[in-house]
Amino acid sequence: MSKMWTDLLLQGAMILVTIFMFLAMHDIPKKIFTKIRYRNRADFQAKRHFVLGAQLLAQARSSKSRSSTASLAQKAESEADKAISLDPKDAASYILKALALDLQGFKTSAVDSLDVALSPLASKSLTDKERGDALFKRAELMMTMNRRGSRVDSAIDDLTKAVELSGDNAKVFCLLGDCYEMKNMKAEARAAFEEALKVEPTSAVARAAIDRLGS
């Protein structure tokens, strides 16, 4: 019996030695380690570019000089692009790029960037509130580009989803109310503005809209 166990142990040891020799010959452990190390380094670099871009965007928004705002926003966009190249699945970098593009006046490109951020692959990295905020921003941009009411329905879809994900933003309800009012859906518009007042009782925009719409 003891001889049988000895033989089994020897066979097992030989199999393990063979496996380790195969791995060593093909440099597999080093390749795995290098891949993990590269991924961690890339993630770190992507976050560094994102943080720098966010700081530049904040400076651009607070700048009182139009030329300085444009320059800082352009730099923020560049940092966002660098972050995206390193981590293309992180929606936050696409949102940062969209905000920088919007500040430069490139609204169509900003919407395109938000489209990527809200795509199934990238949006997994967002919380419900972040996804709701991105939907609101996309709807807001679409309404600023709205010609002949062609984008109202798309904006309503985004805003409805934003409310479902996070219903604590009065601006979302106000914009939704504006969209409904543009479509002459007065009951729905009034309901949206009333929801805005529930979230923010001091909202002058919502109060004025309700007074305008009447009972």
Side-chain angles (χ1 to χ4, degrees):
M1 181 68 71
S2 60
K3 186 177 185 303
M4 182 181 71
W5 280 109
T6 301
D7 291 342
L8 288 172
L9 288 171
L10 285 172
Q11 289 176 15
M14 289 178 66
I15 291 171
L16 287 173
V17 169
T18 303
I19 292 172
F20 285 129
M21 286 178 64
F22 173 81
L23 293 174
M25 285 173 62
H26 291 81
D27 204 21
I28 290 176
K30 184 185 290 186
K31 288 179 180 178
I32 293 173
F33 177 74
T34 302
K35 185 176 180 181
I36 292 172
R37 186 173 60 181
Y38 175 77
R39 184 169 65 244
N40 290 339
R41 188 191 308 135
D43 289 345
F44 173 79
Q45 291 293 336
K47 286 177 174 57
R48 188 176 70 83
H49 286 300
F50 173 82
V51 170
L52 180 56
Q55 290 172 343
L56 289 165
L57 182 66
Q59 293 173 25
R61 284 176 165 174
S62 62
S63 176
K64 296 180 181 179
S65 166
R66 182 175 297 181
S67 60
S68 178
T69 295
S71 176
L72 288 166
Q74 190 173 21
K75 290 177 181 177
E77 179 194 351
S78 177
E79 292 300 322
D81 279 331
K82 291 174 185 176
I84 289 168
S85 68
L86 291 164
D87 188 1
K89 294 181 181 179
D90 186 4
S93 297
Y94 293 103
I95 294 172
L96 173 62
K97 181 177 180 177
L99 296 175
L101 286 165
D102 179 31
L103 205 54
Q104 296 175 76
F106 304 133
K107 299 190 182 300
T108 301
S109 297
V111 170
D112 291 341
S113 190
L114 285 172
D115 287 344
V116 180
L118 291 165
S119 65
L121 185 63
S123 64
K124 292 178 182 179
S125 63
L126 297 174
T127 64
D128 285 349
K129 187 179 187 312
E130 289 168 340
R131 195 178 297 116
D133 289 343
L135 286 163
F136 166 64
K137 183 60 183 179
R138 185 167 70 177
E140 188 178 49
L141 284 168
M142 285 192 290
M143 291 306 295
T144 61
M145 299 186 297
N146 189 48
R147 295 179 181 177
R148 301 176 184 176
S150 60
R151 296 176 180 264
V152 178
D153 289 335
S154 295
I156 289 175
D157 287 342
D158 276 359
L159 293 167
T160 302
K161 292 174 185 174
V163 167
E164 291 173 356
L165 290 166
S166 179
D168 61 352
N169 189 339
K171 291 181 180 179
V172 177
F173 286 110
C174 284
L175 185 56
L176 182 58
D178 288 338
C179 291
Y180 282 135
E181 193 173 0
M182 288 184 68
K183 291 178 68 68
N184 203 31
M185 300 169 65
K186 293 186 177 180
E188 290 83 354
R190 182 181 177 83
F193 287 120
E194 287 174 347
E195 288 297 323
L197 280 179
K198 290 179 183 177
V199 176
E200 189 180 322
T202 59
S203 173
V205 173
R207 177 60 63 190
I210 290 172
D211 291 341
R212 181 176 66 249
L213 288 166
S215 58

